[in-house]
Amino acid sequence: MGSERSAAPATDAAAALLGRLVELGVRHIVVSPGSRSQALALVAAELEARGLASVHVRIDERVAGFTALGIGREGGTPAAVVCTSGTAVANLLPAALEAHHAGVPMLLLTADRPPELRGVGANQTTRQPGLFAPNMRFETDLPVPDATCDDGTGEQSDMLRRVADEAMAAARGAGTRQAGPVHLNLPYSEPLAGALPEWLGAPTDRLHAPEPGPDDAPVAAAPEQLPSGALYQGGGGIGESDVPSEPDLDAHVLERGPRTVVVAGADAGAAAESLAHAGGWPLVAEIVSGARFGRNVVHGYRGLLADPELGGRVERAIVFGHPTLSREVTALLSRSDVDVYAVRGPGEPLNLNGRTTAVDAVVAAVGDHDRDWFGAWMRASRAAAVDLAPAAPDAQALASTVPTERLGAISAELDVLRAPIDRTALVDAVWRATWPHDRLLFASSRLVRVADEVLPGKKVPVHANRGLAGIDGTVSTALGIAIASQGAGGAGVTRVVIGDLALLHDVGGLLLPGGEAEPRVQVVVGNDGGGTIFDGLEVAQTASAEAMDRVLYTPQSVDIAQLAAAYGWQYRRAATRTELDQALVAAVAGRQLIEVALAR
């Protein structure tokens, strides 16, 4: 259907597709500018101008992908990523892989040249269809738009809306609980943009909305309200609930008898703690699980799992989320003599021992729990807990009239205040400063392992890209989390605990364009001048110091203060615990980069 306006099939097609995605709940569109994708970008800008979506512009597609990943992680609803053709598309692969393995919804909208230009040497053209194939929940190479319409009711527009429905349902894991990335490859011919159609953003009721995804489940009951026979399913993220009220899932009944532990890996959520509480079982909760709270949490779990009298006697393990932080948990879940039940979440299925049973949900059978088993774990846990609180001041000495006693007490207090920060003090300070209205993201660096070893239980929202546990995209993911959590007046600060190499790997994520809202973000960088995580690996026992420095440590001497200034971030340097505490509790109005120098 033609029109007298300056129409272009590419623009009408982009309007139908993006307009329907917004109608289905997409609220964030991340755009990396490019010529071939200009119709999508201009439609996104118009949707933002009408108050229907928020647009976030990132010049680096890898940054754009991880920003969308952070939005999907926090909110449970996919963000759409728009990019041009060629290498731009390939730069989305790291974020797409993480989204696949972690079960984070994401929509990749990649502009392309027409099919006849593939494989003939045309500029900025490669074979984009299938580029992400093994990791997509749904993908399609759409036809080149060749029509415009006056009211958005043409055959082409209807087809694109149907594709949007299918894409949204697949990204949210409707019917499968396997949320994840979706790839829509969108070839366009010239003219690449025209006048925006008047029907852009108008609601349509001609098509059915997708089936509800996991994040549409009823809100979970509080743990204290749950009886021992309650049903628990994998939550898979802060944006999703953990306990449905009337599920029709394949629930496995956990009979009393076997010596059981509950294991909570990345993105496990509160369901793991609830089951451990209901069953009277020890809870082995990684710091990135979102389940490290409650009376059943096991402190120092690595050592206890290695203890023949505790870990060696485990007969059954119930797993939520994706455990990745310790070899002891991996060893437990790889044992052939342990019955492992992995509660399905939105991410990759777990089966380390080749005989793991995947279940949609679990229910603890009603009955008395094994008090001897639980008691042994709790006693060992209390003994293994790390007391991170500083010693109380010697009030008697401080009030003494004996000068030497009083001066000695004052000197001791000053020593505490002036003590340099180590890794334990860094993660403890951030943990203490973070509350339920905040968000905390751990990078894949040495610091997350220190935090996992020493930090006590606390119910705070925690994120980490542990699907593949890469160091890339951490800053960008944090900004996406902040965008999603602080939108519509949301309170709190998004904090990031990150090593220097992980920061430098995503330095492009520090760049934000003018005109976009300033997120409240504190990036706390533990700077030890290189990758000292290798100190704890076997290679440190065999490689020479020269080889370690040359190809593993990646020593660096970047001036973090100048880096912050170049990208427009506030900068603070904390040399003592007192300075770090002050920086963390001070009012945050925008982006802050806090550097903490650490010994190698």
Side-chain angles (χ1 to χ4, degrees):
M1 226 181 316
S3 173
E4 294 183 359
R5 65 186 174 87
S6 176
T11 296
D12 279 29
L17 179 65
L18 280 178
R20 180 59 175 168
L21 289 175
V22 167
E23 188 177 348
L24 294 172
V26 170
R27 291 294 175 263
H28 298 278
I29 304 171
V30 188
V31 174
S32 289
S35 177
R36 191 61 49 167
S37 58
Q38 62 186 270
L40 290 162
L42 293 172
V43 168
E46 180 64 18
L47 289 169
E48 181 179 55
R50 298 187 185 189
L52 299 174
S54 296
V55 174
H56 315 281
V57 180
R58 304 291 185 268
I59 62 171
D60 183 334
E61 288 79 12
R62 187 173 70 172
V63 168
F66 278 102
T67 302
L69 180 82
I71 293 170
R73 270 195 145 281
E74 168 63 28
T77 297
V81 187
V82 171
C83 75
T84 191
S85 63
T87 58
V89 181
N91 280 307
L92 296 175
L93 182 58
L97 288 174
E98 177 63 28
H100 163 63
H101 287 277
V104 177
M106 179 188 298
L107 300 168
L108 309 179
L109 310 183
T110 61
D112 199 358
R113 259 65 173 174
E116 63 268 19
L117 295 183
R118 299 170 188 164
V120 297
N123 185 41
Q124 282 190 302
T125 307
T126 188
R127 297 192 183 276
Q128 294 176 195
L131 188 63
F132 310 108
N135 312 291
M136 295 294 106
R137 301 299 183 265
F138 169 72
E139 63 173 346
T140 185
D141 183 26
L142 289 167
V144 177
D146 59 2
T148 60
C149 57
D150 292 324
D151 58 3
T153 61
E155 180 180 345
Q156 175 178 277
S157 295
D158 283 351
M159 178 273 293
L160 288 165
R161 291 189 179 98
R162 285 193 295 271
V163 169
D165 281 12
E166 188 169 1
M168 193 69 167
R172 299 177 76 176
T176 66
R177 290 194 55 79
Q178 298 298 311
V182 163
H183 179 206
L184 304 183
N185 194 60
L186 308 171
Y188 296 126
S189 294
E190 297 178 354
L192 298 176
L196 295 168
E198 295 181 0
W199 47 263
L200 172 62
T204 175
D205 57 5
R206 295 187 304 278
L207 302 173
H208 295 294
E211 298 177 16
D215 53 337
D216 296 313
V219 177
E224 60 269 17
Q225 298 172 315
L226 296 170
S228 60
L231 185 70
Y232 303 93
Q233 68 180 81
I238 289 174
E240 299 176 306
S241 74
D242 301 303
V243 187
S245 58
E246 295 182 0
D248 55 351
L249 300 171
D250 178 18
H252 181 85
V253 178
L254 300 169
E255 299 292 349
R256 300 291 170 169
R259 292 185 292 271
T260 301
V261 295
V262 178
V263 176
D267 300 324
E273 191 279 334
S274 297
L275 177 66
H277 180 84
W281 295 312
L283 174 61
V284 173
E286 292 184 344
I287 195 64
V288 296
S289 66
R292 187 175 282 197
F293 63 93
R295 68 184 186 186
N296 293 49
V297 167
V298 174
H299 301 284
Y301 71 80
R302 286 177 172 83
L304 303 192
L305 286 176
D307 184 344
E309 294 302 313
L310 292 173
R313 299 178 65 217
V314 173
E315 297 174 330
R316 183 173 62 184
I318 317 302
V319 185
F320 292 79
H322 185 198
T324 60
L325 285 178
S326 76
R327 296 183 179 185
E328 290 80 5
V329 168
T330 299
L332 171 70
L333 302 182
S334 301
R335 281 169 48 184
S336 60
D337 63 330
V338 174
D339 292 327
V340 179
Y341 294 89
V343 181
R344 289 189 181 96
E348 191 173 35
L350 178 76
N351 187 9
L352 297 179
N353 65 356
R355 55 186 293 271
T356 294
T357 302
V359 292
D360 289 326
V362 288
V363 58
V366 177
D368 293 334
H369 67 271
D370 187 337
R371 297 182 185 278
D372 291 339
W373 174 248
F374 180 68
W377 275 90
M378 291 300 99
R379 288 190 295 273
S381 172
R382 287 192 292 270
V386 179
D387 184 4
L388 299 176
D394 187 343
Q396 184 175 354
L398 288 172
S400 173
T401 58
V402 179
T404 55
E405 291 183 1
R406 186 172 66 255
L407 291 174
I410 293 173
S411 178
E413 288 303 298
L414 290 175
D415 288 342
V416 170
L417 295 175
R418 295 168 179 168
I421 307 173
D422 59 13
R423 293 172 181 83
T424 296
L426 188 158
V427 298
D428 178 56
V430 176
W431 191 244
R432 289 176 185 270
T434 304
W435 298 100
H437 59 280
D438 298 318
R439 298 294 183 266
L440 179 57
L441 173 66
F442 283 99
S444 294
S445 62
R446 183 174 177 180
L447 288 168
V448 70
R449 297 182 183 276
V450 173
D452 190 55
E453 289 175 355
V454 303
L455 292 183
K458 187 178 184 182
K459 191 174 183 180
V460 297
V462 180
H463 285 287
N465 285 337
R466 301 301 299 182
L468 285 182
I471 71 168
D472 41 352
T474 307
V475 174
S476 303
T477 301
L479 291 172
I481 291 168
I483 287 168
S485 64
Q486 297 170 19
V493 176
T494 296
R495 294 189 176 90
V496 189
V497 176
I498 191 170
D500 51 299
L501 294 187
L503 170 72
L504 296 176
H505 201 284
D506 193 31
V507 69
L510 296 173
L511 179 62
L512 292 184
E516 294 191 16
E518 278 275 311
R520 297 183 299 277
V521 177
Q522 289 181 322
V523 176
V524 184
V525 186
N527 187 1
D528 56 15
T532 60
I533 192 171
F534 292 104
D535 288 337
L537 303 180
E538 291 87 345
V539 65
Q541 308 303 317
T542 59
S544 67
E546 293 78 10
M548 290 285 288
D549 265 343
R550 179 61 176 148
V551 297
L552 291 176
Y553 282 142
T554 323
Q556 57 79 26
S557 56
V558 174
D559 190 319
I560 304 293
Q562 292 189 19
L563 190 69
Y567 283 96
W569 286 60
Q570 301 173 33
Y571 172 83
R572 296 188 67 166
R573 181 181 176 89
T576 66
R577 174 62 186 264
T578 300
E579 292 175 349
L580 179 56
D581 287 338
Q582 291 173 346
L584 291 170
V585 301
V588 180
R591 296 167 289 151
Q592 295 183 349
L593 199 156
I594 303 171
E595 181 182 9
V596 179
L598 298 173
R600 285 195 59 80

